[in-house]
Amino acid sequence: MLPSTARGRRWLRAVVAGVLAFLALVVAGAGTAQAGPGVGPSAIVALGDSYISGEAGRWKGNSLTNSGSRDGTDRAWTGTAYDPARVYGTTAANGCHRSDSAEVLSATGTTQALINLACSGATTGNVFRTSRGGTAFKGEAPQADQLAAVVASHDVEVIALSIGGNDLGFADIITACAKDYIIYYSYCHDDQQAVVDGKIDAVMANVGKAVDEIRAVMAGAGYAASSYRIVLQSYPSPIPRGSENRYTESGWSRVNTGGCPFWDLDSDWARDSLVPQLAGRLKALAAAKEAQFLDLRDMLQGREVCARASRLVTATQPPSAAASEWTRWIDSDGTQGPVQESAHPNHYGQLAQGRCLALVHAKPTGDYSCRNTAGDGPSGMYLTALAGAS
């Protein structure tokens, strides 16, 4: 048996070593907490392209009047001139067009901070981190790199992602279909379907990589996969089915009055084939990547450009969230604003998107579609659980 003094010294050394080890664990744990969720103001972050950046937020419905406030539809009108920065802020200059009514900014009543990193025209490559092949766009760093800066100072709860449309060539499809109506008197759906089919597998692979890039940024900031959500959303149809168009297929009213130059068969293809095809692929991808899916294919039902259930704004019919179109018409000549605003949810449509995002924010699990209530404004948006959702 050791002398009592020796035993005491050995016991004391053991106790001190144990205390130091405990303190080391506490300090390490504190460092992890500072780098992960729960620190800073809570936030929803939007990443992606024009359908979430706020493109066309300048407009409250469509009006044929080409001067002044355009019957109250042009939010950029100052009383003497047009200033798109009133709506798009500093991004009016570089074309990212993040409007003041963009989806994430309209998701009020959710988190303390609503942050928009999306940019009109962005592709999946503009989301990837620079270190993983991502590229800057319109003078801005890749969106995943921007996200890394946000998570360093915010408690990010939800990341809403809309991407893939530009990879697939939405703008080119719209242009081809409009030309086939106005110039060539032929249909676009057959050849454009072949284009889509030839691209969509590669597009989905890149959308999947974009989700992986977001996961990598969050993990690098100390976030467990269960501590935040990625909401991958699909695209709404900007045009109605042929039977739901308020202008006849023959003549020039769809071009000169409505701003929806498409044949019925092409409109039906876009509404009932193209948009659902993309939504279906995005839903499957969301499931594979353990992200939530928000289906917006029917969000603009009855509110599309030229829809029978909506109307143009006139001097005697002012802008109305309940009655006006929620989609910017096809302004191929840029007579009222940039062509890039065409075929996007306008100010009212973006308020509706924001309501959809707010509703999903309150649903921690499950996939949903978001629809509007006929004759109601954006507050009438509601969710429907999709098959397999909890």
Side-chain angles (χ1 to χ4, degrees):
M1 180 178 290
L2 293 172
S4 61
T5 54
R7 289 200 307 272
R9 285 195 296 270
R10 180 170 292 180
W11 176 83
L12 180 60
R13 285 196 297 269
V15 169
V16 170
V19 170
L20 291 176
F22 175 77
L23 289 175
L25 288 173
V26 170
V27 171
T32 300
Q34 291 173 353
V39 178
S42 59
I44 300 177
V45 182
L47 301 179
D49 55 27
S50 55
Y51 275 78
I52 198 170
S53 74
E55 184 68 82
R58 173 176 173 174
W59 304 96
K60 297 169 66 176
N62 299 305
S63 165
L64 292 171
T65 299
N66 285 327
S67 60
S69 70
R70 340 269 193 179
D71 293 321
T73 61
D74 192 346
R75 300 170 63 227
W77 175 245
T78 67
T80 57
Y82 302 106
D83 180 14
R86 288 165 61 101
V87 175
Y88 300 124
T90 58
T91 65
N94 72 357
C96 279
H97 284 187
R98 299 187 191 104
S99 77
D100 57 0
S101 58
E103 178 178 321
V104 68
L105 299 187
S106 296
T108 55
T110 52
T111 56
Q112 294 168 295
L114 304 170
I115 300 172
N116 191 359
L117 303 179
C119 183
S120 182
T123 63
T124 50
N126 305 130
V127 175
F128 307 159
R129 291 169 294 169
T130 301
S131 63
R132 297 290 293 171
T135 57
F137 186 58
K138 296 185 176 179
E140 299 185 357
Q143 293 176 30
D145 291 338
Q146 296 182 56
L147 176 64
V150 170
V151 297
S153 58
H154 291 77
D155 175 17
V156 176
E157 296 180 358
V158 169
I159 299 162
L161 176 63
S162 170
I163 201 69
N166 291 316
D167 297 67
L168 198 60
F170 266 3
D172 293 337
I173 292 171
I174 290 172
T175 299
C177 291
K179 284 183 176 180
D180 278 356
Y181 182 85
I182 299 170
I183 301 174
Y184 302 118
Y185 299 97
S186 61
Y187 296 121
C188 73
H189 61 271
D190 45 1
D191 55 324
Q192 292 304 308
Q193 183 64 63
V195 170
V196 171
D197 290 343
K199 290 182 176 181
I200 197 163
D201 286 344
V203 170
M204 288 300 109
N206 282 330
V207 174
K209 180 179 175 180
V211 174
D212 292 342
E213 289 290 283
I214 294 169
R215 295 279 190 210
V217 168
M218 300 302 285
Y223 282 72
S226 60
S227 63
Y228 69 96
R229 285 180 281 152
I230 296 175
V231 175
L232 180 62
Q233 60 189 53
S234 67
Y235 294 89
S237 173
I239 59 175
R241 299 175 179 87
S243 62
E244 296 167 351
N245 196 309
R246 64 177 179 265
Y247 302 104
T248 61
E249 186 177 30
S250 60
W252 291 100
S253 58
R254 289 189 180 182
V255 178
N256 297 332
T257 305
C260 54
F262 307 105
W263 297 109
D264 285 350
L265 284 178
D266 290 338
S267 299
D268 292 347
W269 166 75
R271 181 68 180 84
D272 293 326
S273 295
L274 175 61
V275 170
Q277 179 184 11
L278 186 53
R281 292 295 297 267
L282 289 169
K283 182 177 184 294
L285 179 62
K289 297 294 183 179
E290 298 184 333
Q292 267 189 302
F293 177 63
L294 177 59
D295 193 347
L296 298 181
R297 76 178 78 182
D298 298 318
M299 190 202 83
L300 296 172
Q301 176 62 39
R303 316 303 184 107
E304 309 98 334
V305 58
C306 297
R308 286 182 182 275
S310 298
R311 68 191 187 199
L312 289 177
V313 176
T314 68
T316 57
Q317 293 183 146
S320 165
S324 300
E325 296 164 327
W326 289 6
T327 313
R328 182 61 179 159
W329 60 15
I330 310 299
D331 188 2
S332 57
D333 295 325
T335 56
Q336 293 188 352
V339 174
Q340 73 181 61
E341 294 175 316
S342 299
H344 289 86
N346 62 21
H347 175 67
Y348 294 133
Q350 290 170 23
L351 294 179
Q353 285 178 282
R355 180 59 181 159
C356 293
L357 183 56
L359 291 171
V360 166
H361 176 266
K363 300 284 190 180
T365 61
D367 300 332
Y368 298 88
S369 65
C370 193
R371 296 179 171 89
N372 72 79
T373 302
D376 204 350
S379 63
M381 304 304 294
Y382 65 94
L383 299 179
T384 300
L386 296 176
S390 56

